[in-house]
Amino acid sequence: MSVNKQIIMKTRPEGMPKLENFEIIENNIPDIRHGEVLIKILWLSLDPYMRGRMSKAKSYAASLNEGDVIIGGAVGRVIKSETNEYKEGDIVEGFTLGWQAYAITTPASIRKINPDLAPIQTAVGVLGMPGMTAFFGLLYVGKPIPGDTVVVSAASGAVGQLVGQIAKIAGCHVVGIAGGKEKCDFLLNTLNFDAAIDYKNQNVDNMLDKYCPNGVNVYFDNVGGSITDSVINKLANYARVAVCGVISQYNLTAPEPGLRTHRAILTNQATTEGFLVFQFAQKYHIAIERMAKWIKEGKIIYKEDVVEGLENAPDAFIGLMNGKNFGKLLIKVSE
Ligand SMILES: NC(=O)c1ccc[n+]([C@@H]2O[C@H](COP(=O)([O-])OP(=O)(O)OC[C@H]3O[C@@H](n4cnc5c(N)ncnc54)[C@H](OP(=O)(O)O)[C@@H]3O)[C@@H](O)[C@H]2O)c1
């Protein structure tokens, strides 16, 4: 039997993850049993939520233990099946396939994807979890109406780039916040956002005053921290804040003081709502169909950041935590 390459969490990261927290190991692939499929991983999705899995802090999903293979979404090809549902050659996506060359799983943990719809790696990108997050988080939680000013942070990333484009389709004035000139130029020139704020080189408060003169009606928050403080202090009456992620907090060893912006929430009668994409799972088919149509019509484009080789996943993941990725971060594991 062939040998599997796996990346484990060797030690639990404290603060920003380091390469020494990860290790590549090799194991023989066991024979699959009745009810199982063997999948060759083709693409891995690297996502910020994985940092939460590496922490012991209470969350909506179980933490990894030292020695566990890193859990994560992936796209792969079925190479052996002992099930009625899957056959050799099927392309599948699964949320828990993990950082490894081969995965053994059951039909309940995977879904078949249609390779004719779009390139298969989009099943973990624009037509997968990040795409669903952007679609439902903006439209169902942010509830934009035409003419609204929508601000999105981490705006060039997997989720943010789609949020802004969907908000444009919804007839909104879109302001993206991202780190660096290159990312901001992309938002303006390629994605046609109305304005972009480079939070690393510009004063966010001043730029929000300039680009959101009537206040912010919808804030799609991917980052938390001081950027979010600035946006919340510019909310318009009855604004909606869709709390999607707080990446600025994921690697802190002690929490920042919080709730500094509640006065603005109160005085603007704003709504702040946290959401997890899985709460919309029953409706994913609606979003996949809609997003695929928008892609075909050229209304949505998606930028991917592809790193070759499973062994480079730890370094790429650390980069994701530091803003090195530019677009949806993927690891190309195999052809
Ligand atoms: N609620 C849900 O169900 C759900 C689902 C998916 C994702 N999320 C969350 O959505 C957010 C975006 O995820 P994604 O997959 O689209 O990642 P991403 O935006 O593709 O990558 C993360 C980006 O975050 C930015 N960033 C990193 N550290 C930061 C800091 N300290 N302050 C401000 N920005 C920082 C960087 O962009 P810059 O260079 O622009 O700083 C980096 O490129 C994350 O918080 C994630 O946890 C939530």
Side-chain angles (χ1 to χ4, degrees):
M1 204 11 158
S2 355
V3 166
N4 197 8
K5 261 193 191 166
Q6 303 176 304
I7 300 182
I8 59 166
M9 184 178 80
K10 188 178 175 198
T11 51
R12 197 176 294 290
E14 291 290 333
M16 191 58 77
K18 300 184 188 68
L19 284 177
E20 68 223 36
N21 297 128
F22 303 90
E23 187 179 21
I24 303 190
I25 60 166
E26 292 193 349
N27 272 313
N28 288 330
I29 303 171
D31 290 333
I32 58 169
R33 291 175 300 195
H34 180 70
E36 290 181 335
V37 288
L38 174 63
I39 294 164
K40 181 174 191 182
I41 305 292
L42 306 178
W43 294 89
L44 275 188
S45 175
L46 298 197
D47 299 278
Y49 76 83
M50 292 168 167
R51 180 64 186 87
R53 300 283 192 282
M54 295 171 198
S55 146
K56 266 199 301 208
K58 181 178 169 292
S59 184
Y60 55 90
S63 301
L64 290 168
N65 291 313
E66 290 181 345
D68 285 349
V69 174
I70 309 285
I71 288 294
V75 174
R77 186 186 304 116
V78 174
I79 56 171
K80 210 167 183 193
S81 173
E82 293 292 341
T83 72
N84 294 328
E85 294 93 329
Y86 289 93
K87 60 176 189 329
E88 207 181 306
D90 282 344
I91 301 292
V92 298
E93 183 262 341
F95 201 61
T96 54
L97 296 176
W99 291 13
Q100 51 188 341
Y102 296 90
I104 294 175
T105 190
T106 57
S109 311
I110 49 178
R111 68 180 171 116
K112 213 177 278 190
I113 60 169
N114 174 3
D116 297 330
L117 201 59
I120 58 172
Q121 72 275 16
T122 59
V124 287
V126 60
L127 298 181
M129 189 275 285
M132 302 301 99
T133 304
F135 186 92
F136 291 106
L138 179 70
L139 298 179
Y140 285 58
V141 182
K143 300 189 183 83
I145 53 174
D148 272 354
T149 292
V150 174
V151 174
V152 54
S153 48
S156 72
V159 174
Q161 60 175 303
L162 302 174
V163 168
Q165 292 181 83
I166 298 169
K168 286 298 294 176
I169 292 170
C172 299
H173 176 79
V174 176
V175 180
I177 304 178
K181 182 172 180 333
E182 195 188 1
K183 289 182 175 181
C184 287
D185 285 349
F186 167 73
L187 299 180
L188 290 172
N189 303 330
T190 307
L191 301 187
N192 296 319
F193 284 23
D194 298 287
I197 300 173
D198 173 1
Y199 75 92
K200 289 187 174 162
N201 297 297
Q202 291 181 307
N203 180 300
V204 176
D205 292 304
N206 294 348
M207 292 297 118
L208 286 168
D209 281 341
K210 180 171 171 192
Y211 297 134
C212 313
N214 299 319
V216 176
N217 303 101
V218 178
Y219 175 42
F220 192 105
D221 187 7
N222 281 319
V223 304
S226 63
I227 292 175
T228 293
D229 289 357
S230 295
V231 182
I232 288 184
N233 282 321
K234 304 286 189 274
L235 291 181
N237 278 338
Y238 309 111
R240 284 83 63 204
V241 179
V243 182
C244 175
V246 288
I247 194 168
S248 70
Q249 313 294 294
Y250 295 165
N251 297 296
L252 299 180
T253 47
E256 283 185 340
L259 303 183
R260 292 166 295 211
T261 50
H262 263 42
R263 186 187 170 102
I265 300 279
L266 169 69
T267 54
N268 293 298
Q269 301 162 78
T271 305
T272 308
E273 184 177 342
F275 73 95
L276 294 174
V277 64
F278 313 108
Q279 75 199 60
F280 301 102
Q282 302 304 320
K283 298 192 180 79
Y284 281 177
H285 62 283
I286 301 172
I288 293 173
E289 201 179 298
R290 186 83 60 87
M291 299 281 274
K293 184 166 170 282
W294 283 335
I295 293 168
K296 285 217 162 79
E297 293 170 351
K299 290 183 178 160
I300 292 254
I301 61 165
Y302 54 93
K303 182 167 175 54
E304 298 172 335
D305 186 339
V306 177
V307 174
E308 300 268 344
L310 176 65
E311 65 283 3
N312 292 317
D315 188 50
F317 181 74
I318 295 165
L320 178 71
M321 293 290 123
N322 286 293
K324 282 203 186 123
N325 66 305
F326 189 179
K328 169 65 202 154
L329 183 58
L330 295 160
I331 303 291
K332 187 165 186 196
V333 180
S334 184
E335 290 292 338

